[in-house]
Amino acid sequence: MRNIFKPSGVWAMSCAALRRIRGTLSFRLTLWYSGLFCLSTVLLFGVTYLLLARSLQRRDYKELRGALTEYRSTYQRGGLTAVAAEVAERGGQTEQLRLLVRVATATSTTLLLESPPLWKRRFAVTQLETQTIPDEKQLLRIPTTNGDEDILEVASVHLPDGRLLQVGKSTHEREELLEQFQGIFIGVMGPILLVSVAGGTVLTWRALHPLRGLTHTLHAIITTGALATRARVPSTEDELAELSRLFNSMLERISLLISGMQSTLDNVSHDLRTPMTRLRGMAEMVLQTETSETGLREALVNCIEESDRILTMLTTLMDISEAEHGAMKLAKEPVSADDLITQAVDLYHDVAEEKAIQLITSVSSEVGFCADRNRMLQVLTNLLDNALKYTSTGGRVTITAARDGQHFLLIITDTGVGIPPEDLPHIWDRLYRGDKSRSQRGLGLGLSVVKAIVHAHHGSVQVQSTPGSGSTFTLSLPLVALLSS
Ligand code: ADP
């Protein structure tokens, strides 16, 4: 049984492999290349064949007309005998007469008929006596008696005395030459076919090499998960090299995003662990020590407040991470600095009034830029919130918006407590709070968000501060980058 089924199994496998090969792009390209190559060769041969046939026909026609003119003048000089003598002489010169010469009466009775020895039997020469001459420029075509392809082409002219002079030539020579040409064509077509298939295969193989490299890299990534694998970029500067480069940069970007997400997850879980532990500890302690309903209620309120803090913290941490890793979606639009500042000032007007802080704005005429309005409002409110928070009663906070060449500047100055020099390098870090600030509400995330959002807009933010006198935060956004990105 096994022996009977084995060949059919092999056959099925071969068929499947053949189907697979037939479906490949390489196979189709090779087929197209070879097909087009062969077709153009056949066309070239075909056109050459036609041109050759036409030129041989013209040569024969010219020869007939030339001979006709010569025999005609011979006839005019010496009559029938002179023509016969010249035919005999020409036959002797070439050792073989190559033309048929006939002189006939006006009623087409043959007076002289000279031709190569076999022609009289080979061609139906008697037809010459019966056929009417249509036009002197046209040739009479006499077939062979045995049905061969050769034809006797005969040119005719009327002599001045009314007689008819005819000169004929067989197409045999011409046919033989064309047949030889056909033979050569058939002979070279085999090697041409082989060369075109081999050339097509090599060219396709080489052209698709980068694509195979990409497929190979993708397979490696899918099977091993090694995202660090990169495709080899060909040294050429063609479309496939571009595709390989783009493919590699796409992998680069995916790796960056994945590592960004990973570090976001690590940071957020690390930063949330402390407040979550604190919340849990608080709930546990209340559960063990508190028995009165009022005390328990109070503890629950504290827990809710702490949970809210944690939720805010989570959202802010996610924002920071997204902005830092380029994953933050920015809905950029034209933003008027005046509108933005007015909106922020409206939000903090009451706070400033409560602390009797003077809130001054200065916007040089029509300063506008392109950015995510809500994110920029978040930046401005964070800086304004800090300025008001760290400025004592009776102080002053100034917001200035101006254009400096190709940059948009937003400057927030306060007359507050200022920042000690040792704190300055750390104020941008996540969850960092200055010692003096402990008494104030805050998560230590405000400036981290500011920096991350400004960087996501390709800008920068700087601080200058003198303890006891106040601080100035200067935000700079490149106008060109903002408009183009
Ligand atoms: P916080 O919630 O503590 O305000 P931020 O990230 O906004 O967190 O600020 C980090 C630290 O920078 C603050 O704790 C404070 O010490 C300092 N700081 C920020 N803005 C000012 C300011 N305008 N004046 C003085 N200190 C400031």
Side-chain angles (χ1 to χ4, degrees), residues 210-224:
L211 271 188
R212 278 195 301 281
L214 288 185
T215 318
H216 185 75
T217 312
L218 267 178
H219 268 303
I221 292 173
I222 289 168
T223 47
T224 63

mmCIF file with all atom_site columns, all heavy atoms in Angstrom, residues 210-224:
data_model
loop_
_atom_site.group_PDB
_atom_site.id
_atom_site.type_symbol
_atom_site.label_atom_id
_atom_site.label_alt_id
_atom_site.label_comp_id
_atom_site.label_asym_id
_atom_site.label_entity_id
_atom_site.label_seq_id
_atom_site.pdbx_PDB_ins_code
_atom_site.Cartn_x
_atom_site.Cartn_y
_atom_site.Cartn_z
_atom_site.occupancy
_atom_site.B_iso_or_equiv
_atom_site.pdbx_formal_charge
_atom_site.auth_seq_id
_atom_site.auth_comp_id
_atom_site.auth_asym_id
_atom_site.auth_atom_id
_atom_site.pdbx_PDB_model_num
ATOM 1   N N   . PRO A 1 210 ? 16.286 42.933 -1.827 1.00 0.00 ? 210 PRO A N   1
ATOM 2   C CA  . PRO A 1 210 ? 15.927 43.697 -0.626 1.00 0.00 ? 210 PRO A CA  1
ATOM 3   C C   . PRO A 1 210 ? 14.564 43.302 -0.056 1.00 0.00 ? 210 PRO A C   1
ATOM 4   O O   . PRO A 1 210 ? 14.385 43.288 1.156  1.00 0.00 ? 210 PRO A O   1
ATOM 5   C CB  . PRO A 1 210 ? 15.891 45.144 -1.122 1.00 0.00 ? 210 PRO A CB  1
ATOM 6   C CG  . PRO A 1 210 ? 16.670 45.153 -2.374 1.00 0.00 ? 210 PRO A CG  1
ATOM 7   C CD  . PRO A 1 210 ? 16.531 43.809 -2.979 1.00 0.00 ? 210 PRO A CD  1
ATOM 8   N N   . LEU A 1 211 ? 13.618 42.948 -0.952 1.00 0.00 ? 211 LEU A N   1
ATOM 9   C CA  . LEU A 1 211 ? 12.286 42.544 -0.464 1.00 0.00 ? 211 LEU A CA  1
ATOM 10  C C   . LEU A 1 211 ? 12.380 41.258 0.336  1.00 0.00 ? 211 LEU A C   1
ATOM 11  O O   . LEU A 1 211 ? 11.728 41.103 1.377  1.00 0.00 ? 211 LEU A O   1
ATOM 12  C CB  . LEU A 1 211 ? 11.346 42.307 -1.645 1.00 0.00 ? 211 LEU A CB  1
ATOM 13  C CG  . LEU A 1 211 ? 10.562 43.516 -2.150 1.00 0.00 ? 211 LEU A CG  1
ATOM 14  C CD1 . LEU A 1 211 ? 9.551  43.079 -3.183 1.00 0.00 ? 211 LEU A CD1 1
ATOM 15  C CD2 . LEU A 1 211 ? 9.831  44.190 -0.997 1.00 0.00 ? 211 LEU A CD2 1
ATOM 16  N N   . ARG A 1 212 ? 13.239 40.334 -0.161 1.00 0.00 ? 212 ARG A N   1
ATOM 17  C CA  . ARG A 1 212 ? 13.420 39.085 0.591  1.00 0.00 ? 212 ARG A CA  1
ATOM 18  C C   . ARG A 1 212 ? 14.035 39.380 1.947  1.00 0.00 ? 212 ARG A C   1
ATOM 19  O O   . ARG A 1 212 ? 13.684 38.769 2.951  1.00 0.00 ? 212 ARG A O   1
ATOM 20  C CB  . ARG A 1 212 ? 14.297 38.108 -0.205 1.00 0.00 ? 212 ARG A CB  1
ATOM 21  C CG  . ARG A 1 212 ? 13.527 37.341 -1.265 1.00 0.00 ? 212 ARG A CG  1
ATOM 22  C CD  . ARG A 1 212 ? 14.326 36.149 -1.771 1.00 0.00 ? 212 ARG A CD  1
ATOM 23  N NE  . ARG A 1 212 ? 15.595 36.582 -2.332 1.00 0.00 ? 212 ARG A NE  1
ATOM 24  C CZ  . ARG A 1 212 ? 15.722 37.105 -3.540 1.00 0.00 ? 212 ARG A CZ  1
ATOM 25  N NH1 . ARG A 1 212 ? 14.671 37.234 -4.317 1.00 0.00 ? 212 ARG A NH1 1
ATOM 26  N NH2 . ARG A 1 212 ? 16.888 37.498 -3.997 1.00 0.00 ? 212 ARG A NH2 1
ATOM 27  N N   . GLY A 1 213 ? 14.958 40.387 1.974  1.00 0.00 ? 213 GLY A N   1
ATOM 28  C CA  . GLY A 1 213 ? 15.578 40.790 3.246  1.00 0.00 ? 213 GLY A CA  1
ATOM 29  C C   . GLY A 1 213 ? 14.526 41.298 4.228  1.00 0.00 ? 213 GLY A C   1
ATOM 30  O O   . GLY A 1 213 ? 14.536 40.931 5.406  1.00 0.00 ? 213 GLY A O   1
ATOM 31  N N   . LEU A 1 214 ? 13.584 42.111 3.721  1.00 0.00 ? 214 LEU A N   1
ATOM 32  C CA  . LEU A 1 214 ? 12.527 42.642 4.586  1.00 0.00 ? 214 LEU A CA  1
ATOM 33  C C   . LEU A 1 214 ? 11.657 41.512 5.130  1.00 0.00 ? 214 LEU A C   1
ATOM 34  O O   . LEU A 1 214 ? 11.335 41.471 6.322  1.00 0.00 ? 214 LEU A O   1
ATOM 35  C CB  . LEU A 1 214 ? 11.644 43.607 3.795  1.00 0.00 ? 214 LEU A CB  1
ATOM 36  C CG  . LEU A 1 214 ? 12.230 44.961 3.424  1.00 0.00 ? 214 LEU A CG  1
ATOM 37  C CD1 . LEU A 1 214 ? 11.187 45.826 2.749  1.00 0.00 ? 214 LEU A CD1 1
ATOM 38  C CD2 . LEU A 1 214 ? 12.732 45.675 4.659  1.00 0.00 ? 214 LEU A CD2 1
ATOM 39  N N   . THR A 1 215 ? 11.284 40.588 4.233  1.00 0.00 ? 215 THR A N   1
ATOM 40  C CA  . THR A 1 215 ? 10.452 39.458 4.654  1.00 0.00 ? 215 THR A CA  1
ATOM 41  C C   . THR A 1 215 ? 11.180 38.651 5.728  1.00 0.00 ? 215 THR A C   1
ATOM 42  O O   . THR A 1 215 ? 10.592 38.255 6.737  1.00 0.00 ? 215 THR A O   1
ATOM 43  C CB  . THR A 1 215 ? 10.149 38.543 3.437  1.00 0.00 ? 215 THR A CB  1
ATOM 44  O OG1 . THR A 1 215 ? 9.849  39.362 2.334  1.00 0.00 ? 215 THR A OG1 1
ATOM 45  C CG2 . THR A 1 215 ? 9.011  37.611 3.709  1.00 0.00 ? 215 THR A CG2 1
ATOM 46  N N   . HIS A 1 216 ? 12.457 38.437 5.499  1.00 0.00 ? 216 HIS A N   1
ATOM 47  C CA  . HIS A 1 216 ? 13.265 37.659 6.430  1.00 0.00 ? 216 HIS A CA  1
ATOM 48  C C   . HIS A 1 216 ? 13.280 38.353 7.806  1.00 0.00 ? 216 HIS A C   1
ATOM 49  O O   . HIS A 1 216 ? 13.088 37.707 8.839  1.00 0.00 ? 216 HIS A O   1
ATOM 50  C CB  . HIS A 1 216 ? 14.676 37.549 5.860  1.00 0.00 ? 216 HIS A CB  1
ATOM 51  C CG  . HIS A 1 216 ? 15.572 36.677 6.668  1.00 0.00 ? 216 HIS A CG  1
ATOM 52  N ND1 . HIS A 1 216 ? 15.462 35.313 6.648  1.00 0.00 ? 216 HIS A ND1 1
ATOM 53  C CD2 . HIS A 1 216 ? 16.558 36.987 7.545  1.00 0.00 ? 216 HIS A CD2 1
ATOM 54  C CE1 . HIS A 1 216 ? 16.358 34.817 7.462  1.00 0.00 ? 216 HIS A CE1 1
ATOM 55  N NE2 . HIS A 1 216 ? 17.031 35.812 8.030  1.00 0.00 ? 216 HIS A NE2 1
ATOM 56  N N   . THR A 1 217 ? 13.494 39.688 7.796  1.00 0.00 ? 217 THR A N   1
ATOM 57  C CA  . THR A 1 217 ? 13.535 40.445 9.058  1.00 0.00 ? 217 THR A CA  1
ATOM 58  C C   . THR A 1 217 ? 12.190 40.348 9.778  1.00 0.00 ? 217 THR A C   1
ATOM 59  O O   . THR A 1 217 ? 12.141 40.140 10.995 1.00 0.00 ? 217 THR A O   1
ATOM 60  C CB  . THR A 1 217 ? 13.854 41.938 8.775  1.00 0.00 ? 217 THR A CB  1
ATOM 61  O OG1 . THR A 1 217 ? 14.954 42.001 7.894  1.00 0.00 ? 217 THR A OG1 1
ATOM 62  C CG2 . THR A 1 217 ? 14.144 42.696 10.032 1.00 0.00 ? 217 THR A CG2 1
ATOM 63  N N   . LEU A 1 218 ? 11.099 40.509 9.001  1.00 0.00 ? 218 LEU A N   1
ATOM 64  C CA  . LEU A 1 218 ? 9.766  40.426 9.616  1.00 0.00 ? 218 LEU A CA  1
ATOM 65  C C   . LEU A 1 218 ? 9.546  39.057 10.251 1.00 0.00 ? 218 LEU A C   1
ATOM 66  O O   . LEU A 1 218 ? 9.047  38.962 11.374 1.00 0.00 ? 218 LEU A O   1
ATOM 67  C CB  . LEU A 1 218 ? 8.700  40.662 8.549  1.00 0.00 ? 218 LEU A CB  1
ATOM 68  C CG  . LEU A 1 218 ? 8.235  42.106 8.407  1.00 0.00 ? 218 LEU A CG  1
ATOM 69  C CD1 . LEU A 1 218 ? 7.223  42.224 7.290  1.00 0.00 ? 218 LEU A CD1 1
ATOM 70  C CD2 . LEU A 1 218 ? 7.597  42.577 9.705  1.00 0.00 ? 218 LEU A CD2 1
ATOM 71  N N   . HIS A 1 219 ? 9.942  37.996 9.528  1.00 0.00 ? 219 HIS A N   1
ATOM 72  C CA  . HIS A 1 219 ? 9.803  36.632 10.060 1.00 0.00 ? 219 HIS A CA  1
ATOM 73  C C   . HIS A 1 219 ? 10.554 36.531 11.386 1.00 0.00 ? 219 HIS A C   1
ATOM 74  O O   . HIS A 1 219 ? 10.022 36.005 12.361 1.00 0.00 ? 219 HIS A O   1
ATOM 75  C CB  . HIS A 1 219 ? 10.387 35.618 9.073  1.00 0.00 ? 219 HIS A CB  1
ATOM 76  C CG  . HIS A 1 219 ? 9.354  35.086 8.126  1.00 0.00 ? 219 HIS A CG  1
ATOM 77  N ND1 . HIS A 1 219 ? 8.222  34.464 8.554  1.00 0.00 ? 219 HIS A ND1 1
ATOM 78  C CD2 . HIS A 1 219 ? 9.294  35.107 6.776  1.00 0.00 ? 219 HIS A CD2 1
ATOM 79  C CE1 . HIS A 1 219 ? 7.498  34.107 7.505  1.00 0.00 ? 219 HIS A CE1 1
ATOM 80  N NE2 . HIS A 1 219 ? 8.108  34.510 6.417  1.00 0.00 ? 219 HIS A NE2 1
ATOM 81  N N   . ALA A 1 220 ? 11.807 37.060 11.370 1.00 0.00 ? 220 ALA A N   1
ATOM 82  C CA  . ALA A 1 220 ? 12.650 36.962 12.571 1.00 0.00 ? 220 ALA A CA  1
ATOM 83  C C   . ALA A 1 220 ? 11.975 37.683 13.740 1.00 0.00 ? 220 ALA A C   1
ATOM 84  O O   . ALA A 1 220 ? 11.943 37.166 14.861 1.00 0.00 ? 220 ALA A O   1
ATOM 85  C CB  . ALA A 1 220 ? 14.020 37.570 12.292 1.00 0.00 ? 220 ALA A CB  1
ATOM 86  N N   . ILE A 1 221 ? 11.400 38.876 13.465 1.00 0.00 ? 221 ILE A N   1
ATOM 87  C CA  . ILE A 1 221 ? 10.764 39.643 14.550 1.00 0.00 ? 221 ILE A CA  1
ATOM 88  C C   . ILE A 1 221 ? 9.528  38.913 15.059 1.00 0.00 ? 221 ILE A C   1
ATOM 89  O O   . ILE A 1 221 ? 9.301  38.798 16.270 1.00 0.00 ? 221 ILE A O   1
ATOM 90  C CB  . ILE A 1 221 ? 10.394 41.069 14.061 1.00 0.00 ? 221 ILE A CB  1
ATOM 91  C CG1 . ILE A 1 221 ? 11.674 41.872 13.794 1.00 0.00 ? 221 ILE A CG1 1
ATOM 92  C CG2 . ILE A 1 221 ? 9.535  41.791 15.084 1.00 0.00 ? 221 ILE A CG2 1
ATOM 93  C CD1 . ILE A 1 221 ? 11.453 43.208 13.171 1.00 0.00 ? 221 ILE A CD1 1
ATOM 94  N N   . ILE A 1 222 ? 8.730  38.371 14.122 1.00 0.00 ? 222 ILE A N   1
ATOM 95  C CA  . ILE A 1 222 ? 7.490  37.696 14.532 1.00 0.00 ? 222 ILE A CA  1
ATOM 96  C C   . ILE A 1 222 ? 7.807  36.438 15.338 1.00 0.00 ? 222 ILE A C   1
ATOM 97  O O   . ILE A 1 222 ? 7.201  36.171 16.367 1.00 0.00 ? 222 ILE A O   1
ATOM 98  C CB  . ILE A 1 222 ? 6.628  37.351 13.287 1.00 0.00 ? 222 ILE A CB  1
ATOM 99  C CG1 . ILE A 1 222 ? 6.064  38.653 12.708 1.00 0.00 ? 222 ILE A CG1 1
ATOM 100 C CG2 . ILE A 1 222 ? 5.478  36.414 13.645 1.00 0.00 ? 222 ILE A CG2 1
ATOM 101 C CD1 . ILE A 1 222 ? 5.453  38.518 11.339 1.00 0.00 ? 222 ILE A CD1 1
ATOM 102 N N   . THR A 1 223 ? 8.809  35.667 14.878 1.00 0.00 ? 223 THR A N   1
ATOM 103 C CA  . THR A 1 223 ? 9.075  34.400 15.566 1.00 0.00 ? 223 THR A CA  1
ATOM 104 C C   . THR A 1 223 ? 9.862  34.584 16.872 1.00 0.00 ? 223 THR A C   1
ATOM 105 O O   . THR A 1 223 ? 9.591  33.900 17.851 1.00 0.00 ? 223 THR A O   1
ATOM 106 C CB  . THR A 1 223 ? 9.832  33.403 14.652 1.00 0.00 ? 223 THR A CB  1
ATOM 107 O OG1 . THR A 1 223 ? 10.912 34.108 14.049 1.00 0.00 ? 223 THR A OG1 1
ATOM 108 C CG2 . THR A 1 223 ? 8.950  32.818 13.580 1.00 0.00 ? 223 THR A CG2 1
ATOM 109 N N   . THR A 1 224 ? 10.805 35.540 16.896 1.00 0.00 ? 224 THR A N   1
ATOM 110 C CA  . THR A 1 224 ? 11.617 35.677 18.122 1.00 0.00 ? 224 THR A CA  1
ATOM 111 C C   . THR A 1 224 ? 11.198 36.861 18.990 1.00 0.00 ? 224 THR A C   1
ATOM 112 O O   . THR A 1 224 ? 11.541 36.931 20.153 1.00 0.00 ? 224 THR A O   1
ATOM 113 C CB  . THR A 1 224 ? 13.114 35.869 17.769 1.00 0.00 ? 224 THR A CB  1
ATOM 114 O OG1 . THR A 1 224 ? 13.226 37.100 17.047 1.00 0.00 ? 224 THR A OG1 1
ATOM 115 C CG2 . THR A 1 224 ? 13.655 34.737 16.931 1.00 0.00 ? 224 THR A CG2 1
#
